[in-house]
Amino acid sequence: MSGMRAVTAHTSELDAGTLQTARALVEEAFTVDFSGADWEHGLGGMHALVWEEGELVAHGSVVQRRLLH
């Protein structure tokens, strides 16, 4: 596992290329009905990215939301 690297970062800390690569990975995984709005909902929080041999192989994000009722 020496070629594997996990990174956590806020959206603001990720460059455009990394975000574009993450979006392409997510779009490939969720091929049906994944819109630009769906991607936007995953921005503005923390991202976990896993790189293996220089290729992004996993991405997840957590965005804090406030719900008033």
Side-chain angles (χ1 to χ4, degrees), residues 15-28 39 49-51 54-59:
D15 61 50
T18 300
L19 288 171
Q20 182 178 10
T21 302
R23 182 175 179 165
L25 181 69
V26 172
E27 286 177 344
E28 185 176 335
W39 173 250
L49 303 112
V50 178
W51 301 86
E55 180 180 353
L56 184 63
V57 295
H59 169 265

